[in-house]
Amino acid sequence: MNIFRLAGDVSHLVAIIILLLKIWKSKSCAGISGKSQILFAVVFTTRYLDLFTIYISAYNTIMKVVFLGLSYATVYMIYMRFRNTFDSENDSFRVEFLLVPVIGLSFLENYAFTPMEILWTFSIFLEAVAIMPQLFMITKTGEAESITTHYLFFLGLYRALYIANWIWRYHTENFFDQIAVVSGVVQTIFYCDFFYLYVTKVLRGKGKMSLPMPV
């Protein structure tokens, strides 16, 4: 494992912990897209179906369990524990517009036409677009709390660091995973505008990040 992969995993973990602490301390999930969190839970579930059949390392197994547990804990807090604070009106992105093409691509573009491989490919493609309901919600409401933007920043940083990880592995191991790399680049592109706003507004001390309202 290289430093970029480790830093990426840590950034991913920090992002989820920031989100969970925000919900727990404020006892509110206002401004958080439950649909995005469900999609991330589906991502981890379909990707880690090999948890009990393939052992790579203790680190790999622990991280799989942690990400699965935290993703379902987030969904539980949004839809059960603090459901009265959930803004379902603004969390209105049509996820079927993501799921249908992702499912189709998973059957068309994979490394082996087997159930496990198709589900793994599905998880990679779905992760690339799972944040879209959250970004849509922020655009629709016109602003985001600073703690939510911190969550999105570390989530985007995780993907950017994984791109560096893939570049490193290509040069040191001659390893190239086309499906993961293309999906990771697409996902990182979604964060580009957000990164700019995060640096120019949130890091300059504003409590909330305001966005242009949709026409």
Side-chain angles (χ1 to χ4, degrees):
M1 181 188 300
N2 61 70
I3 188 63
F4 300 111
R5 164 76 183 276
L6 180 60
D9 287 345
V10 171
S11 295
H12 197 181
L13 187 59
V14 167
I16 298 174
I17 291 174
I18 285 174
L19 188 66
L20 281 170
L21 288 177
K22 183 268 182 189
I23 297 173
W24 184 258
K25 287 186 175 181
S26 66
K27 299 188 184 305
S28 170
C29 54
I32 299 172
S33 169
K35 290 183 177 181
S36 271
Q37 297 309 312
I38 288 177
L39 292 179
F40 281 124
V42 172
V43 165
F44 294 131
T45 301
T46 52
R47 184 174 303 172
Y48 299 149
L49 288 172
D50 63 353
L51 179 62
F52 300 106
T53 58
I54 298 177
Y55 178 82
I56 297 175
S57 67
Y59 172 85
N60 183 271
T61 299
I62 291 171
M63 293 300 280
K64 287 180 179 179
V65 173
V66 168
F67 282 123
L68 278 168
L70 292 181
S71 65
Y72 279 100
T74 305
V75 171
Y76 166 77
M77 286 201 285
I78 292 173
Y79 287 99
M80 299 293 291
R81 185 68 180 268
F82 303 115
R83 63 183 179 276
N84 292 332
T85 66
F86 174 52
D87 186 5
S88 58
E89 182 178 348
N90 285 314
D91 192 15
S92 55
F93 190 91
R94 300 282 296 276
V95 295
E96 59 267 30
F97 292 153
L98 301 178
L99 291 173
V100 171
V102 164
I103 291 172
L105 278 173
S106 301
F107 280 92
L108 294 173
E109 296 290 335
N110 52 70
Y111 294 125
F113 201 75
T114 63
M116 291 290 285
E117 191 65 30
I118 291 172
L119 287 171
W120 178 85
T121 305
F122 168 80
S123 77
I124 297 297
F125 288 147
L126 182 60
E127 185 180 17
V129 296
I131 199 61
M132 289 186 70
Q134 179 67 66
L135 297 177
F136 176 81
M137 188 177 186
I138 292 175
T139 303
K140 188 175 181 181
T141 58
E143 62 180 22
E145 294 182 4
S146 60
I147 194 69
T148 306
T149 60
H150 295 331
Y151 158 72
L152 289 171
F153 172 78
F154 279 100
L155 206 58
L157 181 62
Y158 140 67
R159 296 313 302 177
L161 286 167
Y162 256 61
I163 291 176
N165 162 61
W166 293 321
I167 294 173
W168 177 268
R169 293 192 65 185
Y170 178 76
H171 285 288
T172 60
E173 306 172 25
N174 199 30
F175 174 84
F176 181 75
D177 186 331
Q178 180 177 331
I179 291 175
V181 171
V182 172
S183 299
V185 170
V186 169
Q187 186 177 358
T188 304
I189 290 173
F190 287 140
Y191 289 95
C192 288
D193 285 343
F194 169 80
F195 282 150
Y196 172 76
L197 292 171
Y198 181 86
V199 171
T200 58
K201 295 188 176 183
V202 177
L203 294 185
R204 289 183 178 178
K206 292 189 177 182
K208 292 185 177 182
M209 184 176 74
S210 297
L211 300 174
M213 292 296 290
V215 177

